[in-house]
Amino acid sequence: MTKAVAVLAHADQMDGRGAAVEAHDGDQFVQCRRAPHEPIITCEAAGPRGQPWMRHALSKKRRANLKELGYVSDRKTGNFVARLDPSEWPNDKLAGFMVATLVGGYDVDSSDIVTETGSYPAVACPPRNPAGHDFGGEIAFNDRSQKDLEENCEVAGMDDEDESRLPKPLKSIPMDSGKAEDLMKQNVKEIGDAYTWLLGVSGPGRRGVVLSWGEFHIQCSKTAEPVIPCEIESAEANPTLRSVITAAVGRKLNKMGFREPGYSKNYIGWFRLNDGKPENWAWSMMQAALTAFGGYAIQPVTVERRAAKGET
Protein backbone atom coordinates (compact mmCIF):
# COMPACT_ATOMS: atom_id res chain seq x y z
CA MET A 1 0.00 0.00 0.00
CA THR A 2 2.81 2.44 0.83
CA LYS A 3 4.34 1.89 -2.61
CA ALA A 4 0.93 2.19 -4.26
CA VAL A 5 0.01 5.56 -2.77
CA ALA A 6 3.36 6.99 -3.92
CA VAL A 7 1.82 7.33 -7.40
CA LEU A 8 -0.23 10.30 -6.15
CA ALA A 9 2.93 12.38 -5.77
CA HIS A 10 3.53 12.19 -9.53
CA ALA A 11 0.22 13.63 -10.75
CA ASP A 12 1.89 16.83 -11.96
CA GLN A 13 4.02 14.78 -14.34
CA MET A 14 1.21 12.78 -15.97
CA ASP A 15 0.36 14.94 -19.00
CA GLY A 16 -3.17 15.99 -18.07
CA ARG A 17 -4.22 12.83 -16.27
CA GLY A 18 -4.84 12.31 -12.59
CA ALA A 19 -3.24 9.62 -10.46
CA ALA A 20 -5.42 7.17 -8.55
CA VAL A 21 -4.94 4.36 -6.05
CA GLU A 22 -7.72 2.07 -4.90
CA ALA A 23 -7.96 -0.51 -2.14
CA HIS A 24 -10.95 -2.83 -2.00
CA ASP A 25 -12.41 -6.09 -0.78
CA GLY A 26 -15.11 -7.07 -3.23
CA ASP A 27 -17.31 -4.04 -3.93
CA GLN A 28 -16.22 -2.27 -0.72
CA PHE A 29 -13.66 0.28 -1.86
CA VAL A 30 -11.70 3.36 -0.89
CA GLN A 31 -10.16 5.37 -3.70
CA CYS A 32 -7.69 8.24 -3.34
CA ARG A 33 -6.76 10.49 -6.27
CA ARG A 34 -5.06 13.74 -7.23
CA ALA A 35 -5.24 15.58 -10.54
CA PRO A 36 -2.33 17.66 -11.90
CA HIS A 37 -1.72 20.83 -9.87
CA GLU A 38 -4.44 20.02 -7.32
CA PRO A 39 -3.26 20.98 -3.83
CA ILE A 40 -5.22 18.20 -2.10
CA ILE A 41 -5.72 14.44 -2.21
CA THR A 42 -9.37 13.38 -2.45
CA CYS A 43 -10.38 10.01 -0.99
CA GLU A 44 -13.81 8.44 -1.54
CA ALA A 45 -15.24 5.41 0.23
CA ALA A 46 -18.09 3.35 -1.23
CA GLY A 47 -21.58 4.64 -0.49
CA PRO A 48 -25.20 3.55 -0.95
CA ARG A 49 -26.13 5.75 -3.91
CA GLY A 50 -23.89 4.04 -6.44
CA GLN A 51 -24.18 0.66 -4.70
CA PRO A 52 -27.48 0.39 -2.77
CA TRP A 53 -26.34 -2.89 -1.18
CA MET A 54 -23.75 -0.94 0.84
CA ARG A 55 -26.50 -0.17 3.33
CA HIS A 56 -25.92 -3.67 4.72
CA ALA A 57 -22.21 -3.07 5.30
CA LEU A 58 -22.54 0.51 6.55
CA SER A 59 -23.93 0.06 10.04
CA LYS A 60 -24.37 3.05 12.35
CA LYS A 61 -21.11 2.19 14.11
CA ARG A 62 -19.16 1.86 10.86
CA ARG A 63 -20.51 5.18 9.59
CA ALA A 64 -19.35 6.71 12.86
CA ASN A 65 -15.91 5.20 12.29
CA LEU A 66 -15.74 6.86 8.85
CA LYS A 67 -16.74 10.18 10.41
CA GLU A 68 -13.97 9.86 12.99
CA LEU A 69 -11.50 9.32 10.17
CA GLY A 70 -12.60 12.63 8.64
CA TYR A 71 -15.08 11.50 6.01
CA VAL A 72 -18.28 13.39 5.23
CA SER A 73 -21.20 12.14 3.16
CA ASP A 74 -21.33 13.55 -0.39
CA ARG A 75 -24.90 13.88 -1.63
CA LYS A 76 -23.94 14.02 -5.30
CA THR A 77 -22.14 10.70 -5.46
CA GLY A 78 -23.48 9.07 -2.31
CA ASN A 79 -19.91 8.20 -1.33
CA PHE A 80 -18.01 9.31 1.75
CA VAL A 81 -15.35 11.91 0.97
CA ALA A 82 -12.19 13.02 2.81
CA ARG A 83 -9.86 15.75 1.53
CA LEU A 84 -6.25 15.54 2.70
CA ASP A 85 -3.28 17.90 2.57
CA PRO A 86 -0.40 15.94 0.96
CA SER A 87 2.15 17.72 3.14
CA GLU A 88 0.52 16.17 6.22
CA TRP A 89 0.03 12.71 4.74
CA PRO A 90 3.27 10.93 3.80
CA ASN A 91 2.94 7.67 1.91
CA ASP A 92 3.01 5.33 4.89
CA LYS A 93 0.46 7.40 6.83
CA LEU A 94 -1.88 7.61 3.83
CA ALA A 95 -1.59 3.86 3.25
CA GLY A 96 -2.60 3.30 6.88
CA PHE A 97 -5.53 5.68 6.42
CA MET A 98 -6.84 3.67 3.47
CA VAL A 99 -6.53 0.40 5.37
CA ALA A 100 -8.28 1.96 8.38
CA THR A 101 -11.10 3.10 6.08
CA LEU A 102 -11.84 -0.45 4.95
CA VAL A 103 -11.31 -2.07 8.34
CA GLY A 104 -13.28 0.48 10.37
CA GLY A 105 -15.89 1.43 7.78
CA TYR A 106 -16.68 -1.98 6.29
CA ASP A 107 -15.22 -4.53 8.74
CA VAL A 108 -12.81 -5.80 6.07
CA ASP A 109 -10.00 -8.14 7.11
CA SER A 110 -6.74 -6.39 6.22
CA SER A 111 -5.41 -9.61 4.66
CA ASP A 112 -8.25 -9.53 2.10
CA ILE A 113 -7.46 -6.05 0.74
CA VAL A 114 -6.55 -5.78 -2.95
CA THR A 115 -4.75 -2.69 -4.28
CA GLU A 116 -4.79 -1.12 -7.76
CA THR A 117 -3.17 2.02 -9.18
CA GLY A 118 -3.70 3.93 -12.39
CA SER A 119 -4.78 7.20 -13.97
CA TYR A 120 -7.98 8.96 -15.03
CA PRO A 121 -8.91 11.97 -17.22
CA ALA A 122 -8.27 15.10 -15.16
CA VAL A 123 -11.53 16.86 -16.11
CA ALA A 124 -14.12 18.59 -13.95
CA CYS A 125 -16.32 15.46 -13.89
CA PRO A 126 -14.20 12.35 -14.44
CA PRO A 127 -16.08 9.28 -15.66
CA ARG A 128 -17.64 7.10 -12.96
CA ASN A 129 -19.26 3.71 -12.93
CA PRO A 130 -23.07 4.08 -12.96
CA ALA A 131 -25.35 3.28 -10.05
CA GLY A 132 -26.45 -0.32 -9.71
CA HIS A 133 -23.20 -1.77 -11.06
CA ASP A 134 -20.32 -3.25 -9.12
CA PHE A 135 -18.18 -0.31 -7.95
CA GLY A 136 -21.05 2.06 -8.75
CA GLY A 137 -20.05 5.66 -8.00
CA GLU A 138 -16.34 4.92 -8.38
CA ILE A 139 -14.07 7.20 -10.44
CA ALA A 140 -13.28 4.82 -13.30
CA PHE A 141 -9.53 4.98 -13.63
CA ASN A 142 -7.54 3.22 -16.37
CA ASP A 143 -10.35 4.13 -18.82
CA ARG A 144 -12.62 1.31 -17.69
CA SER A 145 -15.73 3.46 -17.30
CA GLN A 146 -19.06 2.17 -18.59
CA LYS A 147 -20.71 5.58 -18.57
CA ASP A 148 -19.93 9.21 -17.76
CA LEU A 149 -21.48 11.10 -14.89
CA GLU A 150 -24.86 12.70 -15.37
CA GLU A 151 -25.26 16.48 -15.60
CA ASN A 152 -24.02 18.35 -12.52
CA CYS A 153 -21.55 15.56 -11.77
CA GLU A 154 -24.09 13.51 -9.86
CA VAL A 155 -24.52 9.75 -9.78
CA ALA A 156 -28.12 8.99 -10.72
CA GLY A 157 -29.70 6.68 -8.16
CA MET A 158 -31.55 3.56 -9.22
CA ASP A 159 -35.22 4.04 -10.09
CA ASP A 160 -37.79 2.61 -7.70
CA GLU A 161 -40.02 -0.12 -9.03
CA ASP A 162 -43.78 0.25 -9.26
CA GLU A 163 -45.02 -1.45 -6.10
CA SER A 164 -47.94 -2.99 -7.99
CA ARG A 165 -45.47 -4.99 -10.10
CA LEU A 166 -43.59 -6.51 -7.19
CA PRO A 167 -44.21 -10.20 -6.46
CA LYS A 168 -45.88 -10.92 -3.17
CA PRO A 169 -44.41 -13.35 -0.63
CA LEU A 170 -45.64 -16.87 -1.32
CA LYS A 171 -45.43 -18.91 1.87
CA SER A 172 -47.73 -21.84 1.12
CA ILE A 173 -46.72 -24.86 -0.95
CA PRO A 174 -48.97 -24.84 -4.06
CA MET A 175 -49.40 -28.65 -4.17
CA ASP A 176 -49.92 -31.59 -1.82
CA SER A 177 -47.04 -32.59 0.43
CA GLY A 178 -46.32 -35.85 -1.42
CA LYS A 179 -45.83 -34.11 -4.76
CA ALA A 180 -43.77 -31.37 -3.12
CA GLU A 181 -41.45 -33.93 -1.52
CA ASP A 182 -40.92 -35.71 -4.85
CA LEU A 183 -40.22 -32.38 -6.53
CA MET A 184 -37.67 -31.43 -3.86
CA LYS A 185 -35.84 -34.73 -4.36
CA GLN A 186 -35.74 -34.17 -8.11
CA ASN A 187 -34.49 -30.61 -7.66
CA VAL A 188 -31.74 -31.76 -5.30
CA LYS A 189 -30.64 -34.34 -7.90
CA GLU A 190 -30.59 -31.69 -10.67
CA ILE A 191 -28.57 -29.29 -8.50
CA GLY A 192 -26.19 -32.08 -7.45
CA ASP A 193 -25.56 -32.96 -11.09
CA ALA A 194 -24.82 -29.28 -11.75
CA TYR A 195 -22.21 -29.21 -8.96
CA THR A 196 -20.63 -32.39 -10.31
CA TRP A 197 -20.35 -30.68 -13.70
CA LEU A 198 -18.75 -27.63 -12.07
CA LEU A 199 -16.08 -29.86 -10.54
CA GLY A 200 -15.06 -30.99 -14.02
CA VAL A 201 -13.02 -27.81 -14.62
CA SER A 202 -9.44 -27.57 -13.41
CA GLY A 203 -6.56 -25.12 -13.67
CA PRO A 204 -7.42 -21.60 -14.93
CA GLY A 205 -10.70 -22.68 -16.52
CA ARG A 206 -14.04 -21.36 -15.32
CA ARG A 207 -17.54 -22.78 -15.29
CA GLY A 208 -20.80 -21.42 -13.96
CA VAL A 209 -24.37 -22.54 -13.42
CA VAL A 210 -27.55 -20.54 -12.96
CA LEU A 211 -30.27 -22.22 -10.91
CA SER A 212 -33.67 -20.72 -11.69
CA TRP A 213 -37.09 -21.03 -10.11
CA GLY A 214 -39.09 -18.88 -12.51
CA GLU A 215 -37.89 -15.31 -11.97
CA PHE A 216 -35.72 -16.24 -8.98
CA HIS A 217 -32.06 -17.13 -9.47
CA ILE A 218 -28.99 -18.47 -7.69
CA GLN A 219 -25.66 -18.40 -9.51
CA CYS A 220 -22.63 -20.59 -8.70
CA SER A 221 -19.19 -20.79 -10.30
CA LYS A 222 -15.97 -22.77 -10.13
CA THR A 223 -12.53 -21.34 -10.79
CA ALA A 224 -9.05 -22.44 -9.77
CA GLU A 225 -9.90 -21.65 -6.14
CA PRO A 226 -10.77 -24.62 -3.87
CA VAL A 227 -14.30 -23.27 -3.33
CA ILE A 228 -17.56 -22.88 -5.20
CA PRO A 229 -19.09 -19.44 -4.53
CA CYS A 230 -22.86 -19.13 -4.88
CA GLU A 231 -24.84 -15.88 -4.98
CA ILE A 232 -28.51 -15.35 -4.18
CA GLU A 233 -29.84 -12.21 -5.83
CA SER A 234 -30.59 -9.41 -3.38
CA ALA A 235 -33.39 -6.86 -3.36
CA GLU A 236 -30.79 -4.11 -3.82
CA ALA A 237 -29.57 -5.71 -7.04
CA ASN A 238 -33.12 -6.45 -8.21
CA PRO A 239 -35.80 -4.22 -6.60
CA THR A 240 -38.57 -6.57 -7.76
CA LEU A 241 -37.44 -8.90 -4.95
CA ARG A 242 -38.09 -6.38 -2.15
CA SER A 243 -41.27 -8.00 -0.88
CA VAL A 244 -39.81 -11.52 -1.10
CA ILE A 245 -36.23 -11.23 0.19
CA THR A 246 -37.03 -9.05 3.17
CA ALA A 247 -34.70 -8.05 6.01
CA ALA A 248 -35.98 -11.02 8.04
CA VAL A 249 -35.17 -13.38 5.16
CA GLY A 250 -31.74 -11.78 4.88
CA ARG A 251 -31.05 -12.51 8.55
CA LYS A 252 -32.00 -16.16 8.02
CA LEU A 253 -29.66 -16.41 5.03
CA ASN A 254 -26.91 -14.86 7.13
CA LYS A 255 -27.40 -17.54 9.80
CA MET A 256 -27.13 -20.17 7.06
CA GLY A 257 -23.68 -18.88 6.20
CA PHE A 258 -24.45 -16.44 3.39
CA ARG A 259 -22.58 -13.16 3.63
CA GLU A 260 -24.90 -10.14 3.40
CA PRO A 261 -24.55 -7.71 0.46
CA GLY A 262 -21.61 -5.35 0.65
CA TYR A 263 -18.72 -7.51 -0.48
CA SER A 264 -20.98 -8.37 -3.41
CA LYS A 265 -24.30 -6.95 -4.54
CA ASN A 266 -25.88 -10.31 -3.63
CA TYR A 267 -25.91 -12.72 -0.71
CA ILE A 268 -22.85 -14.91 -1.20
CA GLY A 269 -21.80 -18.23 0.33
CA TRP A 270 -19.02 -20.70 -0.37
CA PHE A 271 -18.84 -24.49 -0.56
CA ARG A 272 -15.34 -25.80 0.14
CA LEU A 273 -14.34 -28.66 -2.14
CA ASN A 274 -12.79 -30.68 0.67
CA ASP A 275 -15.89 -30.31 2.84
CA GLY A 276 -18.80 -32.44 1.66
CA LYS A 277 -19.97 -33.75 -1.69
CA PRO A 278 -22.18 -32.40 -4.51
CA GLU A 279 -25.27 -34.07 -3.08
CA ASN A 280 -24.63 -32.40 0.30
CA TRP A 281 -24.17 -28.99 -1.30
CA ALA A 282 -27.31 -29.52 -3.41
CA TRP A 283 -29.42 -30.18 -0.31
CA SER A 284 -28.01 -27.07 1.40
CA MET A 285 -28.68 -24.96 -1.69
CA MET A 286 -32.27 -26.21 -1.92
CA GLN A 287 -32.79 -25.17 1.69
CA ALA A 288 -31.31 -21.74 0.88
CA ALA A 289 -33.70 -21.38 -2.08
CA LEU A 290 -36.68 -22.23 0.14
CA THR A 291 -35.48 -19.70 2.73
CA ALA A 292 -34.91 -16.94 0.15
CA PHE A 293 -37.85 -17.49 -2.19
CA GLY A 294 -40.42 -19.20 0.03
CA GLY A 295 -43.15 -21.01 -1.92
CA TYR A 296 -41.71 -19.78 -5.22
CA ALA A 297 -38.99 -22.45 -4.82
CA ILE A 298 -41.63 -25.21 -4.91
CA GLN A 299 -41.38 -25.66 -8.66
CA PRO A 300 -38.95 -27.49 -10.97
CA VAL A 301 -35.49 -25.94 -11.03
CA THR A 302 -33.99 -24.96 -14.37
CA VAL A 303 -30.22 -25.38 -14.65
CA GLU A 304 -28.23 -23.32 -17.15
CA ARG A 305 -24.61 -24.41 -17.60
CA ARG A 306 -22.06 -21.84 -18.72
CA ALA A 307 -18.56 -22.85 -19.85
CA ALA A 308 -15.54 -20.79 -20.86
CA LYS A 309 -15.17 -20.18 -24.59
CA GLY A 310 -13.85 -23.28 -26.33
CA GLU A 311 -14.77 -25.61 -23.46
CA THR A 312 -17.52 -28.18 -23.72
Side-chain angles (χ1 to χ4, degrees), residues 141-210:
F141 60 102
N142 294 342
D143 297 322
R144 67 186 188 196
S145 176
Q146 303 168 10
K147 173 184 173 183
D148 289 342
L149 273 177
E150 299 292 339
E151 186 178 357
N152 297 324
C153 303
E154 294 187 18
V155 170
M158 296 178 66
D159 293 333
D160 290 334
E161 291 287 331
D162 179 359
E163 292 289 340
S164 65
R165 297 173 54 196
L166 305 183
K168 302 300 180 184
L170 184 62
K171 301 300 182 182
S172 61
I173 298 174
M175 61 181 69
D176 65 63
S177 59
K179 289 183 179 179
E181 184 177 355
D182 291 341
L183 177 59
M184 292 301 97
K185 290 179 179 179
Q186 181 60 35
N187 280 354
V188 168
K189 181 182 182 303
E190 295 285 348
I191 298 170
D193 290 344
Y195 283 132
T196 299
W197 179 80
L198 282 179
L199 294 177
V201 66
S202 60
R206 182 183 181 93
R207 286 182 175 180
V209 295
V210 179

Side-chain angles (χ1 to χ4, degrees), residues 184 188 191 213 218 232 253 256 258 280-294 297:
M184 292 301 97
V188 168
I191 298 170
W213 291 264
I218 298 176
I232 301 174
L253 290 174
M256 295 178 72
F258 284 86
N280 305 129
W281 308 332
W283 176 253
S284 296
M285 187 50 63
M286 192 64 230
Q287 297 304 306
L290 289 166
T291 299
F293 309 141

Side-chain angles (χ1 to χ4, degrees), residues 4 20-24 114-118 135 138 141-142 144:
V21 58
E22 180 177 278
H24 65 90
V114 177
T115 305
E116 297 181 69
T117 61
F135 295 96
E138 169 213 58
F141 60 102
N142 294 342
R144 67 186 188 196

Side-chain angles (χ1 to χ4, degrees), residues 71-140:
Y71 285 93
V72 295
S73 180
D74 174 36
R75 292 188 177 183
K76 289 185 177 181
T77 63
N79 291 330
F80 298 89
V81 178
R83 294 178 172 84
L84 311 176
D85 183 342
S87 66
E88 299 177 2
W89 290 87
N91 294 339
D92 57 345
K93 184 180 178 182
L94 180 57
F97 175 78
M98 294 183 72
V99 171
T101 298
L102 291 177
V103 173
Y106 306 88
D107 199 28
V108 168
D109 190 315
S110 59
S111 64
D112 294 331
I113 294 175
V114 177
T115 305
E116 297 181 69
T117 61
S119 65
Y120 64 95
V123 295
C125 294
R128 290 180 184 255
N129 287 323
H133 292 250
D134 290 319
F135 295 96
E138 169 213 58
I139 290 288

Side-chain angles (χ1 to χ4, degrees), residues 216-281:
F216 304 90
H217 311 286
I218 298 176
Q219 180 171 300
C220 302
S221 62
K222 171 65 175 66
T223 64
E225 297 296 327
V227 296
I228 293 178
C230 292
E231 296 193 33
I232 301 174
E233 196 171 27
S234 73
E236 285 76 24
N238 181 1
T240 63
L241 296 176
R242 279 204 305 265
S243 61
V244 177
I245 303 184
T246 61
V249 169
R251 288 191 291 271
K252 292 179 181 179
L253 290 174
N254 191 248
K255 289 181 178 179
M256 295 178 72
F258 284 86
R259 187 172 177 175
E260 64 185 5
Y263 172 85
S264 164
K265 68 175 66 175
N266 299 318
Y267 293 89
I268 184 168
W270 292 266
F271 294 109
R272 299 189 180 279
L273 302 189
N274 60 355
D275 184 14
K277 299 179 180 180
E279 53 264 34
N280 305 129
W281 308 332

